[in-house]
Amino acid sequence: MMNETMPFTVSSFYTFLKQKKFMAVKCNECKTKILPPKPMCTNCLSTNLKWIKVNDAGKLLSYTVIHVAPEQFQSMAPYCVGIVEFEDGLRLPGMICDISPEKIKIGMRLKIDTISIDSSQWPPWGRYCFRPV
Amino acid sequence: MKLYDCSLITDGASCIILTSPDIAKNFTDSPVHIIGSGIASDTIGLYERDSLTSIKAAKLASKEAYKMSGVKPKDLDLAEIHDCFTIAELLAYEDLGFCKPGKSGIMIQDGETTLDGRLPVNPSGGLKSKGHPVGATGTAQAYEMYLQLTGQAENRQVIGAKIGLTHNVGGSGATASVHIYRRD
């Protein structure tokens, strides 16, 4: 019920994620699926949208190792960021946690999860990362 | 990607006079003509792109510029390419139709893009060797093309160059512009 009333924003996306729900948006007009959520369809510009649940596991499409990190992530370097492809070609970029860089392989299964970080520079949404399945 | 794969963000300035052929006569006896122009855009987020090994905006922009000018890749005498990173130059060769997808490395290995090769690329040194003053880079490419097509490029002159192409990219490929030039 709550799902239907949440605005189609990134803020809602994080709210769902905290509840262990990985949600994308689907256009009721042209059926395009959108991740991260946007308030308008990227294909037909319709605002007639609905929330859909997405399987939280996907495969790693590509990644890189960050050695020169922004200030708030310097204590974590070197770390990896990658693009994960979920069902129906939906993709997200993000940090890959709980695995050393040399063990990461393109095509490996990863799942999206929440992560906590102490930083006043980050919006009060929480954050996500990818972890090995 | 390592340090030497990256272009140098530098200070710099460039300037061109863009005008109609009639007015150009007031400034020079040897104007260079822009005969094709294309600009295209794509998503800023790489994860939303169709491909991670091709810059769609560059493909679309070059298609438009080739069509407008009636020039084909094989007609080019030289090109100034936006080699912001090593990989960017390789992708550009393929997106601009200089070679088939996946063959850009072989093109370089075979020396096809050297000063006396089949299609000299970046006689200026490009972004990686000349430097990349971000806001000035695009018109600096046009300036280099002017020098080349008017025979004023000194030691790096591509002998007899008549037709050239410049390729400029912004936002990791979220925008690309391609221009084709010809001397009188």
Side-chain angles (χ1 to χ4, degrees):
Chain A
M1 283 174 291
M2 183 186 162
N3 295 4
E4 290 163 17
T5 59
M6 293 281 274
F8 301 105
T9 61
V10 170
S11 178
S12 299
F13 169 80
Y14 281 102
T15 303
F16 280 130
L17 210 56
K18 272 188 221 166
Q19 302 163 5
K20 301 288 174 197
K21 291 178 195 160
F22 181 34
M23 305 293 279
V25 161
K26 185 175 180 180
C27 175
N28 285 323
E29 305 291 341
C30 74
K31 312 302 177 198
T32 297
K33 293 178 180 177
I34 304 155
L35 185 71
K38 295 181 176 72
M40 186 181 276
C41 176
T42 52
N43 181 51
C44 74
L45 308 184
S46 168
T47 52
N48 180 9
L49 309 171
K50 68 175 175 186
W51 287 104
I52 55 164
K53 199 162 182 344
V54 180
N55 187 328
D56 65 359
K59 65 168 187 183
L60 182 62
L61 209 61
S62 189
Y63 72 98
T64 189
V65 184
I66 305 286
H67 293 274
V68 184
E71 200 177 322
Q72 66 268 42
F73 299 120
Q74 269 169 16
S75 63
M76 302 167 86
Y79 58 86
C80 291
V81 295
I83 298 172
V84 174
E85 185 164 288
F86 300 93
E87 61 187 79
D88 296 328
L90 291 169
R91 297 173 183 173
L92 277 182
M95 193 184 285
I96 303 167
C97 299
D98 295 351
I99 183 168
S100 56
E102 61 272 19
K103 287 190 176 155
I104 293 179
K105 296 271 183 294
I106 286 175
M108 72 185 297
R109 300 276 291 168
L110 295 170
K111 67 173 194 176
I112 192 166
D113 198 5
T114 49
I115 187 174
S116 61
I117 185 168
D118 293 327
S119 174
S120 57
Q121 295 178 34
W122 198 257
W125 291 333
R127 280 180 58 219
Y128 69 81
C129 71
F130 304 123
R131 302 184 200 276
V133 173
Chain B
M1 197 146 56
K2 301 281 166 56
L3 184 64
Y4 293 121
D5 289 307
C6 305
S7 56
L8 300 89
I9 303 297
T10 54
D11 289 333
S14 61
C15 156
I16 56 172
I17 298 174
L18 189 62
T19 185
S20 68
D22 283 345
I23 296 174
K25 285 175 195 157
N26 299 333
F27 299 100
T28 177
D29 293 329
S30 52
V32 164
H33 301 274
I34 295 174
I35 57 171
S37 173
I39 293 179
S41 62
D42 198 357
T43 67
I44 187 91
L46 268 64
Y47 68 96
E48 291 183 297
R49 305 245 177 110
D50 293 345
S51 169
L52 294 175
T53 54
S54 169
I55 303 288
K56 189 176 165 188
K59 267 188 172 174
L60 294 172
S62 64
K63 198 175 165 190
E64 204 172 304
Y66 285 133
K67 191 179 171 192
M68 190 185 293
S69 62
V71 166
K72 292 187 167 56
K74 66 173 174 53
D75 303 324
L76 298 171
D77 296 314
L78 80 152
E80 280 287 316
I81 299 302
H82 195 94
D83 61 330
C84 44
F85 302 94
T86 316
I87 181 70
E89 181 170 346
L90 296 169
L91 296 186
Y93 289 3
E94 298 174 10
D95 294 335
L96 298 170
F98 296 174
C99 62
K100 288 185 176 145
K103 302 291 182 194
S104 54
I106 293 167
M107 203 178 156
I108 289 184
Q109 272 176 358
D110 290 352
E112 292 185 36
T113 58
T114 57
L115 199 54
D116 55 0
R118 174 174 72 86
L119 174 53
V121 170
N122 288 356
S124 72
L127 282 59
K128 288 212 310 298
S129 299
K130 179 189 62 184
H132 184 19
V134 178
T137 288
T139 44
Q141 291 178 323
Y143 171 69
E144 173 69 12
M145 197 53 69
Y146 175 80
L147 293 181
Q148 288 287 348
L149 298 186
T150 53
Q152 301 179 72
E154 302 180 340
N155 293 341
R156 62 180 192 282
Q157 179 66 47
V158 175
I159 306 299
K162 281 184 184 166
I163 297 174
L165 175 150
T166 61
H167 154 266
N168 192 250
V169 172
S172 306
T175 61
S177 71
V178 173
H179 289 85
I180 296 170
Y181 309 72
R182 188 177 62 203
R183 72 170 193 218
D184 273 333

